[in-house]
Amino acid sequence: MTESPEDNTPAGGRGPTGGTPSHKPYKHPTAGWGAAVSVGKVLLKADEPINSARLMTTMNHEGKGFDCPGCAWPDDQHGLHLDLCENGIKHATWEMTPKRVGPEFFAEHTVTELSAWNDHDLEDQGRLTEPMSYDPGTDRYVPVSWSEAFELFGGSLRELDSPHRALFYTSGRLSNEATFLYQLFVREFGTNNLPDCSNMCHEASGRALTAAVGTGKGTVDLNDIDQADTIFVMGVNAASNVPRMLTALADAYSRGARVIHVNPLIEAASGRTIVPHEFRAMATFHATPTGTMNLQPRIGGDLALLRGIAKSVLERADGGAQVLDEEFLSRFTTGFEDYRALCAQTSWSDLETASGLSSAEIHSAANIYADATRTVIMWCLGITQQEHGVDTVREIVNLLLLRGNIGREGTGLCPIRGHSNVQGNRTCGIDHRPGAEFLDRLAAACDIDPPREPGLDTVRGLEAMDRGEIAVFLGMGGNFALAAPDTDFTAQALGKCALTVHVSTKLNRSHLVHGQRALILPCLGRTERDTQESGEQSVSVEDSMSMVHLSRGMKPPAAPSLLSEPAIIAGLARATLPDSTTPWEHYIGDYDRIRDTMQRALDGFEDFNRRVRGPNGFRLRQPARERIFLTPSGRAEFSLAPLPVSRTGEGLLTLATVRSHDQWNTTIYSANDRYRGVHNLRTLIFLNPEDMRERGLSDMDLVDITSIAKDGSERTVNRYRAIPYDLPRGNAVGYMPELNVLCAIGDFSPQSDQPLMKHLTVSVRRSG
């Protein structure tokens, strides 16, 4: 049980404090002057407002600046001068802070003391400057040289009786070059234990798309978004998670496209926006709608909604309407007749029950889809972090196949990746289940014999750690202790390791939830200059639409002792594999050398160094976009999933965890959530007003939330604030990482192995 005192700081210190908690519904446009004022405050708080503002003018600029370390939405291809957003600026300035955390800081504070701090305050101390090693005798981190840190790590790995006793985690921040070196090191060491943040986010998308169309990525680019006349936006709060997408939605509305938002919550992103770089709109306060319809399925009801839309379209076809692309279905798909029969057999009453929507609402959306010429469907974690996430993404494919909406301009599949290079991480080899073709090319290009057996993902890795089977954990970026499910279980598992190591830019919770020994290895940030033997270096990243482009830091390093991520990886590799013939030091002298090897090892990276330096970089080929389907049948494959059955019992609710507007993944900038009208509060739960009345609750009442896991075990957080919100009855929403404690390690999807962060069963009762 996790207790939460009255100051809204849960045990373990999660969440900033200060100010009186309040809630007032937000009724204004997104972005616009609200974002501009927020940006101004952020720049002033950065203590270097002029320098920070100047650097912002180079963010996301092709050929001369750094790629935003935030979301993976593609950069504008036509030279837009302000291709950035409020949250991207927060993310960059958070990294560019003048505050520093050096040996003096750690000398003043024990780990036990720091463990009582909240997560905002930990990161707000500033940038890490020196490698540090945990001293159990004093309960403090103490300075250590880079060579000593590398040898401690390498020696620990060499002493293991099996390479599979080490776990190598990756967040989405690594560049392509660092990613390639990282997976090369791990596989030369002898394991595929390469869990990553995708295991908790879009694993369902990759598995579903690979099975359905033969590629684990989306098929659209920005031009397709601009050409679509209908766009479905599913399971994402665009105004906070991918704010630059608002421009595309506003443009779509302005040209007459239909924009349908599918989300249990009515979010500000589905209302209106003022695009900040449209100066006339800013001057006149002119807002443009970003949606034409809101559909609010219950949590987990998306598959039934999609099935209902398909059923409605097929019923129109049975009535003689020309709404199917018969030629496409015949030439490029398999399983259509079975899918047609499945839709016919599914009753409207079952679809209404499963989706939480009326047949009239479903028919209305279906009519828009059937009348459209070109449709794009976007989706994010509201779809994938469900128990039936893979089936749901495959149902998205089913629906698009009916009208040939894959492989035509203005159509296609668009998973929205939430971190700047998480897609590039997977492309460049971070995968605990690598394919034989990838391993064959890696072996030939790098002269190694990579392991062939699958490794551990995030959930399986934590379970193995808890059993004592993992002795060494390396976290490359991120904040694993807070990002993972079942927070208390995760902390306990990490504590059983002999050594935990984190490559980081700032102090975070994971440094305090450590093994018997621990290292903090500070690295350069995306915004900083990386100078090696041959001069200043650039790295590459891949956005969510498969564009690969360069990023070059502009700011001096936060400390002269900082190393780049590739340099740290090379140092760890050499210390672990002293007899390796891989030219680790040679690679670090000039990153072009890494790219020369990558072009031989990775499909689609041919002539890498030349192509990545072209205007806007280059786009990786997606066979499904060209109607080449690399499935066993050679065709796009319809799926036949049954409708999900809710396991929520009487008096229980289905809970989804989300981010606030003043938050990026586990990094919390403040306790505010402007677009949901929340101020000075993070320990909360959004509830349907009728569900609140049924429980005798009023706005801001204190409640206890208990999750009921599949195995019957319970986890509780106490004294959270109940807030009424527009969402379906029987559903509830709260913030991660505060509520990750409620997601049992065993509550993961059997389809994707993803933790069910948006599909938990809970009870809510008044505190006390």
Side-chain angles (χ1 to χ4, degrees), residues 12-32:
R14 293 181 286 274
T17 61
T20 302
S22 66
H23 169 245
K24 182 180 180 181
Y26 183 85
K27 298 181 180 179
H28 307 289
T30 57

Side-chain angles (χ1 to χ4, degrees), residues 216-239:
K217 303 178 184 180
T219 63
V220 307
D221 60 18
L222 284 178
N223 181 65
D224 292 316
I225 304 297
D226 292 340
Q227 297 299 317
D229 56 25
T230 296
I231 300 172
F232 285 79
V233 185
M234 304 186 68
V236 60
N237 175 22

Side-chain angles (χ1 to χ4, degrees), residues 628-641:
I628 299 171
F629 300 108
L630 304 179
T631 60
S633 67
R635 294 166 174 251
E637 300 192 355
F638 278 91
S639 58
L640 306 172

Side-chain angles (χ1 to χ4, degrees), residues 192-381:
N192 283 313
N193 284 352
L194 283 162
D196 70 335
C197 56
S198 284
N199 297 153
M200 296 181 279
C201 299
H202 265 292
E203 189 73 35
S205 296
R207 295 192 187 188
L209 295 178
T210 299
V213 299
T215 176
K217 303 178 184 180
T219 63
V220 307
D221 60 18
L222 284 178
N223 181 65
D224 292 316
I225 304 297
D226 292 340
Q227 297 299 317
D229 56 25
T230 296
I231 300 172
F232 285 79
V233 185
M234 304 186 68
V236 60
N237 175 22
S240 296
N241 297 357
V242 275
R244 287 188 293 151
M245 193 172 92
L246 293 172
T247 300
L249 300 182
D251 288 347
Y253 178 89
S254 296
R255 67 173 182 269
R258 310 297 293 272
V259 182
I260 302 170
H261 291 264
V262 180
N263 197 323
L265 295 83
I266 297 292
E267 300 278 24
S270 66
R272 300 168 296 145
T273 193
I274 300 176
V275 179
H277 59 256
E278 292 181 359
F279 301 114
R280 180 175 298 179
M282 289 287 284
T284 60
F285 296 86
H286 176 71
T288 303
T290 49
T292 57
M293 174 185 286
N294 280 299
L295 292 173
Q296 294 179 265
R298 66 171 182 82
I299 295 171
D302 304 275
L303 191 155
L305 163 62
L306 294 160
R307 180 73 52 81
I309 294 174
K311 179 179 176 68
S312 179
V313 170
L314 290 167
E315 287 178 348
R316 284 184 61 172
D318 292 340
Q322 302 299 310
V323 292
L324 302 179
D325 189 332
E326 302 282 1
E327 181 182 1
F328 176 84
L329 290 168
S330 175
R331 290 182 58 192
F332 296 108
T333 75
T334 183
F336 167 62
E337 291 302 333
D338 289 338
Y339 180 70
R340 188 175 204 161
L342 176 65
C343 290
Q345 295 162 8
T346 306
S347 71
W348 279 107
S349 62
D350 285 346
L351 290 169
E352 288 182 321
T353 299
S355 69
L357 296 166
S358 69
S359 59
E361 291 174 299
I362 299 173
H363 281 302
S364 180
N367 289 338
I368 293 172
Y369 177 64
D371 292 339
T373 303
R374 297 178 297 275
T375 298
V376 167
I377 299 182
M378 306 176 178
W379 71 94
C380 199
L381 305 192

Side-chain angles (χ1 to χ4, degrees), residues 357 362 394 522 592 766:
L357 296 166
I362 299 173
R394 293 205 65 178
D592 279 358
R766 182 185 295 277

